[in-house]
Coordinates of all heavy atoms in Angstrom, one line a residue:
V247 N -31.3 -111.0 -13.0 CA -30.3 -109.9 -12.8 C -31.1 -108.6 -12.7 O -32.1 -108.4 -13.3 CB -29.3 -109.8 -14.1 CG1 -28.2 -108.9 -13.8 CG2 -28.8 -111.2 -14.4
G248 N -30.5 -107.7 -11.9 CA -31.2 -106.4 -11.8 C -30.2 -105.2 -11.9 O -28.9 -105.4 -11.8
W249 N -30.7 -104.1 -12.2 CA -29.9 -102.8 -12.3 C -30.8 -101.7 -12.0 O -32.0 -101.9 -11.7 CB -29.2 -102.7 -13.6 CG -30.1 -102.5 -14.8 CD1 -31.0 -103.4 -15.3 CD2 -30.2 -101.4 -15.7 NE1 -31.7 -102.9 -16.4 CE2 -31.2 -101.7 -16.7 CE3 -29.5 -100.2 -15.8 CZ2 -31.5 -100.8 -17.7 CZ3 -29.9 -99.3 -16.8 CH2 -30.9 -99.6 -17.7
T250 N -30.4 -100.5 -12.1 CA -31.2 -99.3 -11.9 C -30.7 -98.2 -12.8 O -29.5 -97.9 -12.8 CB -31.2 -98.8 -10.4 OG1 -31.6 -99.9 -9.6 CG2 -32.1 -97.6 -10.3
A251 N -31.6 -97.6 -13.6 CA -31.2 -96.5 -14.4 C -30.9 -95.3 -13.5 O -31.6 -95.0 -12.6 CB -32.4 -96.1 -15.3
G252 N -29.8 -94.7 -13.8 CA -29.3 -93.5 -13.0 C -28.2 -94.0 -12.0 O -27.1 -93.9 -12.3
C253 N -28.7 -94.5 -10.9 CA -27.7 -95.0 -9.9 C -28.3 -96.2 -9.2 O -29.4 -96.1 -8.5 CB -27.4 -93.9 -8.9 SG -26.2 -94.5 -7.6
A254 N -27.7 -97.3 -9.2 CA -28.1 -98.5 -8.4 C -27.4 -98.3 -7.1 O -26.3 -98.7 -6.9 CB -27.6 -99.8 -9.1
C255 N -28.1 -97.7 -6.2 CA -27.5 -97.2 -4.9 C -27.9 -98.1 -3.7 O -28.3 -99.3 -3.9 CB -27.8 -95.8 -4.7 SG -27.0 -94.7 -5.9
T256 N -27.7 -97.6 -2.5 CA -27.8 -98.5 -1.4 C -29.2 -99.1 -1.2 O -29.3 -100.3 -0.8 CB -27.4 -97.7 -0.1 OG1 -28.3 -96.5 0.0 CG2 -26.0 -97.2 -0.2
G257 N -30.3 -98.3 -1.4 CA -31.6 -98.9 -1.3 C -31.8 -100.0 -2.3 O -32.5 -101.0 -2.0
D258 N -31.3 -99.9 -3.5 CA -31.5 -100.9 -4.5 C -30.7 -102.1 -4.2 O -31.1 -103.2 -4.4 CB -31.0 -100.3 -5.8 CG -31.8 -99.1 -6.3 OD1 -33.1 -99.2 -6.2 OD2 -31.2 -98.1 -6.6
N259 N -29.5 -102.0 -3.5 CA -28.7 -103.1 -3.1 C -29.6 -103.9 -2.1 O -29.6 -105.2 -2.2 CB -27.5 -102.6 -2.4 CG -26.4 -102.1 -3.4 OD1 -26.5 -102.4 -4.6 ND2 -25.5 -101.4 -2.8
T260 N -30.2 -103.3 -1.2 CA -31.0 -104.0 -0.2 C -32.2 -104.7 -0.9 O -32.4 -105.9 -0.6 CB -31.6 -103.0 0.8 OG1 -30.5 -102.3 1.5 CG2 -32.5 -103.7 1.9

Side-chain angles (χ1 to χ4, degrees):
V247 191
W249 64 300
T250 301
C253 179
C255 293
T256 58
D258 301 309
N259 287 341
T260 299

